[in-house]
């Protein structure tokens, strides 16, 4: 089955994003970092753009939540790499990124790793409800320039904004 992976820093809202897209509280969420400890796979069935579709949504643990350290990133990377390597089912990686955070060295490492492995990915700017619309749009544009890609989305699992646009994007990704 086609698979969509949900990755990103800890506590940015990966599991909430997955639940909002699936319209079901299937993935565990939490206010303290580290709510997701393993790679959890969910079989999601829903109607997108009038067509019934089925996919695997895989929810990943966050990386870099305690002291920002290369060691923590490398553990995470080894697990993710082991899982994603030669996984022909992955159609797209959704990289959840808290819209209020700055892009740092660990994020840069993830970016290079995704590019280096030829994975199709999109950036989802989460918690967009915490920013004014104008600023959120500016942030989106800045990320589009940084990544050299249009695949940057504004999203809020609190008010559901961006959900339809992202579902359409997922539907295109899984074909
Ligand atoms: P880990 O699994 O620990 O890495 O976290 P995660 O990235 O899966 O985040 P999770 O979905 O567990 O959410 C973390 C916290 O952020 C929870 O308290 C959520 O309620 C909150 N949160 C998630 N998405 C949003 C959002 O769009 N808006 C707001 N305001 N809060 C959010
Ligand atoms: Mg989680």
């Amino acid at each position: 089955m086609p698979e969509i992976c949900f990755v990103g820093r800890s506590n940015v809202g990966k599991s909430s994003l997955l639940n909002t897209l699936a319209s079901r509280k299937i993935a565990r969420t939490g206010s303290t970092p580290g709510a997701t400890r393993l790679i959890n796979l969910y079989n999601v069935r829903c109607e997108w753009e009038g067509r019934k579709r089925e996919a695997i949504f895989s929810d990943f643990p966050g990386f870099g939540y305690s002291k920002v350290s290369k060691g923590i990133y490398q553990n995470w990377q080894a697990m993710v790499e082991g899982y994603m390597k030669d996984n022909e089912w992955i159609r797209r990686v959704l990289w959840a990124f808290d819209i209020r955070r700055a892009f740092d060295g660990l994020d840069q490492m993830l970016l290079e790793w995704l590019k280096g492995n030829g994975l199709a990915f999109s950036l989802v700017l989460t918690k967009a409800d915490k920013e004014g619309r104008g600023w959120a749009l500016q942030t989106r544009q800045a990320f589009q320039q940084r990544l050299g890609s249009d695949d940057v989305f504004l999203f809020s699992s609190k008010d559901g904004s961006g959900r339809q646009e992202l579902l359409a994007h997922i539907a295109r990704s899984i074909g």
Side-chain angles (χ1 to χ4, degrees), residues 8-20 27-37 59-63 65 96 100 125-130 155-160:
R9 302 294 281 260
S10 195
N11 211 234
V12 295
K14 298 175 292 298
S15 303
S16 304
L17 165 66
L18 189 156
N19 288 342
T20 303
R28 197 186 147 188
T29 62
S31 52
T32 48
T36 308
R37 300 289 174 95
D59 190 23
F60 282 67
F63 66 94
Y65 73 84
R100 299 161 305 166
L125 297 171
T126 58
K127 309 193 185 186
D129 56 278
K130 295 195 183 240
F155 190 84
S156 166
S157 52
K158 197 175 173 194
D159 61 25

Side-chain angles (χ1 to χ4, degrees), residues 147-166:
L147 302 182
S149 159
D150 286 340
D151 293 337
V152 180
F153 297 85
L154 295 173
F155 190 84
S156 166
S157 52
K158 197 175 173 194
D159 61 25
S161 64
R163 181 175 179 273
Q164 287 307 326
E165 195 187 353
L166 208 46

Side-chain angles (χ1 to χ4, degrees), residues 139-149 152:
T139 307
R140 174 190 200 157
Q141 202 173 35
F143 272 106
Q144 284 171 327
Q145 276 164 10
R146 178 192 282 272
L147 302 182
S149 159
V152 180

Side-chain angles (χ1 to χ4, degrees), residues 69-142:
S69 94
K70 262 191 170 177
I72 288 166
Y73 180 77
Q74 279 161 357
N75 283 341
W76 184 89
Q77 190 181 6
M79 178 173 62
V80 172
E81 207 155 355
Y83 181 85
M84 290 191 184
K85 196 172 177 295
D86 302 324
N87 184 334
E88 65 201 77
W89 299 105
I90 297 173
R91 295 290 176 270
R92 188 157 290 265
V93 175
L94 292 185
W95 177 3
F97 194 96
D98 186 329
I99 193 165
R100 299 161 305 166
R101 278 201 48 251
F103 195 90
D104 69 16
L106 279 183
D107 301 313
Q108 187 62 34
M109 284 169 77
L110 177 60
L111 175 61
E112 279 159 22
W113 184 79
L114 288 168
K115 282 185 170 173
N117 284 278
L119 288 154
F121 68 93
S122 307
L123 198 74
V124 181
L125 297 171
T126 58
K127 309 193 185 186
D129 56 278
K130 295 195 183 240
E131 293 286 5
R133 187 74 187 158
W135 183 250
L137 288 167
Q138 269 184 40
T139 307
R140 174 190 200 157
Q141 202 173 35

